[in-house]
Amino acid sequence: MRNCAVCSLTVSATRRWSRFSRRRRACGICSSLTLRAGIFPYKRRLRYSDQPGAMRPTAFPAWRRNWKKPSNMARRKRLPMRFSAIRGSMVLVLGPGPIGLLVAQVVMAQGGRVVMTGLTQDLPRLTIAKEKFGVEHIVDVQKDDVKELVDRLTDGYGADVCYDCTGAVPSMHLGMDLLKKGGQYVQVGLFAQNEVTVDFSKIIQKELTVVGSRSQNTHDWEPTLKLMSERKIDADKMITHEVGIDEWDKAYHLLKSGEATKIVMHPIG
């Protein structure tokens, strides 16, 4: 006894199975009907499950059932979606921490212009961003007018994209204020609270696109490793201190104060 992969019915072993349906585990009636409707490709372009009913017409949308991969299409090697169209754009990176420095490097590798912001206590990290990574503009939001700078660089239109790497609510509001109409806001940093207050009038009036960023997408690993192999992302420059593992308290205070970016801890002996 076998289960038809289309109609899910149990079919007697004595029932006739076509040569095609033996591979696909479909009964003769379903095989002829679905082949005639163009649901099953003759070549093995798509991989279907062998579970009963997995190949019924409602299991896949029409474009997936009939899609044929072009012969000249290479294997997918693309940048993450949130970095795919920023060449020549004015990009805000809020927060000069390790994540912010990595985001700035990816943006610059794709031809974007970066304005990085931070607090007064983040001055050492902002200096690293400027001197080691070549960030074009750094701003202490507690001392300088970042809006005046962005307006001057964009002729008053505002930034094209904003990546908030801080997870601070005031930073989120600042980023939305500095975006142009139709700009894109990407939330990278995690907030201390699951629920925060968002001014939706800014999103509505400016028609902003607001998206989140998740770091565990496996399709991002290959292009990221490629950028690192080309030295467009240099993680070594982010290491500012090296201490022994018995000096963990010193390392903690260096990170807490903002003086350090990344610390390597060596084992004892």
Side-chain angles (χ1 to χ4, degrees), residues 121-122 124-125 240-244 247-265:
Q121 68 179 25
D122 297 324
R125 293 180 175 180
T240 55
H241 295 78
E242 296 187 25
V243 299
E247 298 178 290
W248 60 268
D249 54 340
K250 175 183 177 182
Y252 173 79
H253 289 296
L254 287 172
L255 288 173
K256 191 71 174 178
S257 65
E259 183 179 348
T261 304
K262 279 292 183 182
I263 299 176
V264 173
M265 303 183 71

Side-chain angles (χ1 to χ4, degrees), residues 37-75:
I39 294 175
F40 294 150
Y42 284 92
K43 296 181 180 179
R44 296 186 179 182
R45 298 181 189 127
L46 300 176
R47 296 182 180 179
Y48 293 96
S49 171
D50 286 333
Q51 296 299 319
M55 292 166 63
R56 62 187 184 275
T58 56
F60 296 94
W63 69 267
R64 181 69 181 274
R65 296 194 296 264
N66 301 317
W67 181 78
K68 177 182 178 181
K69 180 179 178 181
S71 58
N72 61 346
M73 180 182 289
R75 183 184 178 188

Side-chain angles (χ1 to χ4, degrees), residues 77-151:
K77 291 183 179 181
R78 64 173 182 85
L79 278 171
M81 178 188 65
R82 291 161 288 279
F83 294 104
S84 58
I86 57 177
R87 183 171 299 278
S89 300
M90 180 58 64
V91 180
L92 292 171
V93 179
L94 310 182
I99 301 299
L101 291 175
L102 289 172
V103 169
Q105 291 181 76
V106 177
V107 170
M108 292 186 293
Q110 302 310 305
R113 302 176 61 191
V114 176
V115 175
M116 176 171 280
T117 67
L119 304 177
T120 302
Q121 68 179 25
D122 297 324
L123 185 58
R125 293 180 175 180
L126 290 172
T127 303
I128 291 174
K130 181 78 171 178
E131 296 179 354
K132 289 189 176 182
F133 297 104
V135 173
E136 190 173 354
H137 303 281
I138 57 173
V139 182
D140 181 350
V141 295
Q142 293 178 307
K143 293 182 178 180
D144 304 322
D145 189 351
V146 63
K147 182 174 179 14
E148 186 276 331
L149 173 63
V150 172
D151 287 343

